[in-house]
Amino acid sequence: MTISVLGIDIGKNNFHLFGVDEQGSKVIRKKLSRKNLLEYVANLEPCIIAMEACGGAHYLARLFKNYGHTVKLISPQFVKPYVKTNKNDYNDAEAIAEAASRPSMRFVPVKTSEQQAWQLLHRYRQQAVDQRTALVNQIRGSLLEEGIVVAQGIGKVRAQLPRILEDAENGLHSLTRELLHGLSEELASLDKRIQQYDQKIQELAEKDECRRMMTMPGIGAITATALKAAVGDATYFKSGRHLAAWLGLVPRQHSTGGKSVLLGISKRGDKYLRTLLIHGARSVLHCLKNKDDRCKKWVSQLNERSNHNVAAVGLANKMARIVWVIMTRNEVYKAA
């Protein structure tokens, strides 16, 4: 009994396996616990192990590679068309094995433990930023109920809140004042956490590849480290356009009958990375007002044909392509 491709449907505690031989015939179909799965795969002859790229998949992929297997991770959207009938765990495992055997299938590169740690840092920072924004809105809303209007912006709230709490004649109830003191301390704690995250990101950005990316206008420490964590080995992408398409910065296509129809950007891939690149492009566009170079002329022509937002997305697409060149050729950005 020789297994050529083994499809594994990942669960928290239970895993469903479906294995086929070189002719595509079913060899095994079983359910294993996490402990039994590791023992089974460790004693298995080297083969292709396919899984969906979901939670815990990269850890298992690194582990299975150490056992001598070839691991292929597939995006769940590419597995769904191969589910033949009603959805269940065994049918999902069979669909994964079938999708992995397709010669034109696109696979997800396995992330290292370092890449996942970097991504975790960015997720925690973004979570803290979202919590701070929600907290500031809550403080402004609570004060508005007492007839005290605070200007928009975290800096304005941070500056005015201590004066409001110290003012004994503004009519705040003692309980409201006590609760707002607690929210003020929570805001200070979030500011400290975000500052620590930013400091750690600055330290990580000192690595060679991140420093090369930061030579390009519009890319700072946050964007460079986020790209390094998500992309990893840029040679996995055939060209800069493939990287831009992976980030969702290329037009959607709805063509038929020989007529090409291009729509807005696809917005596929990592929303966080795409947001960072577009915001970086906006900052570059703002600085181009006082310059006269090829980039300024290109953006001006694009603005004439469309609008400022389209120009920002177009520049973000161009930045993604340049990043691919920087990462694959170990070069720094050279302005034209």
Side-chain angles (χ1 to χ4, degrees):
M1 186 176 67
T2 303
I3 299 176
S4 177
V5 179
L6 178 65
I8 302 178
D9 183 61
I10 300 176
K12 292 183 178 67
N13 300 311
N14 297 317
F15 299 79
H16 294 75
L17 284 65
F18 189 92
V20 297
D21 56 17
E22 294 182 355
Q23 286 73 38
S25 302
K26 182 180 73 173
V27 176
I28 65 161
R29 183 178 183 268
K30 61 172 58 182
K31 174 184 175 182
L32 296 174
S33 65
R34 181 175 289 270
K35 180 181 178 181
N36 293 335
L37 172 72
L38 299 180
E39 294 178 356
Y40 178 82
V41 174
N43 297 321
L44 193 65
E45 290 293 324
C47 64
I48 297 175
I49 297 180
M51 299 178 290
E52 287 183 332
C54 57
H58 292 277
Y59 163 76
L60 291 174
R62 293 194 298 268
L63 201 61
F64 294 162
K65 278 188 173 182
N66 293 334
Y67 295 154
H69 301 287
T70 301
V71 182
K72 295 183 177 181
L73 299 183
I74 310 173
S75 177
Q77 62 179 339
F78 296 146
V79 175
K80 187 175 181 180
Y82 293 95
V83 179
K84 296 177 181 177
T85 178
N86 298 321
K87 184 187 184 307
N88 60 52
D89 294 330
Y90 285 115
N91 288 341
D92 288 345
E94 182 180 358
I96 292 169
E98 177 68 21
S101 63
R102 299 298 92 196
S104 61
M105 181 56 62
R106 287 178 287 179
F107 300 102
V108 177
V110 178
K111 286 184 172 58
T112 63
S113 180
E114 182 184 31
Q115 285 179 261
Q116 289 189 297
W118 286 31
Q119 283 192 321
L120 198 63
L121 173 62
H122 279 272
R123 291 185 184 127
Y124 284 168
R125 180 189 179 277
Q126 189 60 38
Q127 182 187 46
V129 170
D130 293 340
Q131 290 175 349
R132 184 176 65 179
T133 302
L135 181 62
V136 167
N137 290 335
Q138 184 180 16
I139 292 172
R140 292 181 67 242
S142 300
L143 290 173
L144 185 61
E145 292 293 334
E146 299 292 339
I148 301 175
V149 179
V150 180
Q152 290 184 359
I154 296 175
K156 299 290 182 61
V157 174
R158 195 183 290 118
Q160 296 182 31
L161 185 58
R163 293 197 298 266
I164 294 173
L165 295 177
E166 292 173 1
D167 186 2
E169 300 179 358
N170 55 14
L172 281 179
H173 192 275
S174 59
L175 179 58
T176 303
R177 198 181 300 273
E178 180 182 351
L179 294 173
L180 288 174
H181 267 295
L183 294 182
S184 177
E185 293 175 356
E186 187 177 350
L187 178 61
S189 176
L190 285 172
D191 285 336
K192 184 177 179 181
R193 278 178 55 195
I194 294 171
Q195 186 179 6
Q196 291 174 346
Y197 292 147
D198 289 339
Q199 183 178 358
K200 188 63 180 177
I201 288 175
Q202 290 290 343
E203 294 175 2
L204 295 176
E206 293 299 318
K207 293 182 178 286
D208 291 338
E209 193 164 15
C210 293
R211 291 174 64 182
R212 288 196 299 271
M213 282 190 280
M214 290 167 60
T215 59
M216 183 168 60
I219 292 186
I222 294 177
T223 307
T225 52
L227 283 168
K228 175 60 180 174
V231 176
D233 185 8
T235 58
Y236 180 81
F237 300 94
K238 296 179 182 179
S239 65
R241 188 198 178 281
H242 286 184
L243 176 59
W246 181 72
L247 293 171
L249 290 171
V250 298
R252 287 184 294 123
Q253 192 173 19
H254 189 77
S255 304
T256 184
K259 183 178 179 181
S260 180
V261 179
L262 298 180
L263 307 174
I265 59 173
S266 64
K267 295 185 180 179
R268 294 180 179 177
D270 195 331
K271 179 182 178 181
Y272 179 69
L273 279 177
R274 187 168 58 254
T275 301
L276 291 176
L277 284 172
I278 292 176
H279 284 335
R282 292 185 191 279
S283 67
V284 174
L285 291 178
H286 181 74
C287 297
L288 284 177
K289 295 178 180 179
N290 301 323
K291 294 185 179 180
D292 186 17
D293 54 11
R294 289 176 58 184
C295 186
K296 171 68 178 296
K297 295 177 181 178
W298 176 79
V299 170
S300 299
Q301 293 174 358
L302 188 57
N303 270 326
E304 292 175 0
R305 299 195 303 269
S306 52
N307 58 59
H308 183 78
N309 291 329
V310 173
V313 174
L315 184 56
N317 182 304
K318 189 180 289 290
M319 290 168 59
R321 297 181 183 219
I322 297 174
V323 164
W324 180 83
V325 175
I326 292 174
M327 296 180 73
T328 55
R329 301 180 186 176
N330 296 330
E331 298 180 358
V332 297
Y333 174 76
K334 299 175 183 178

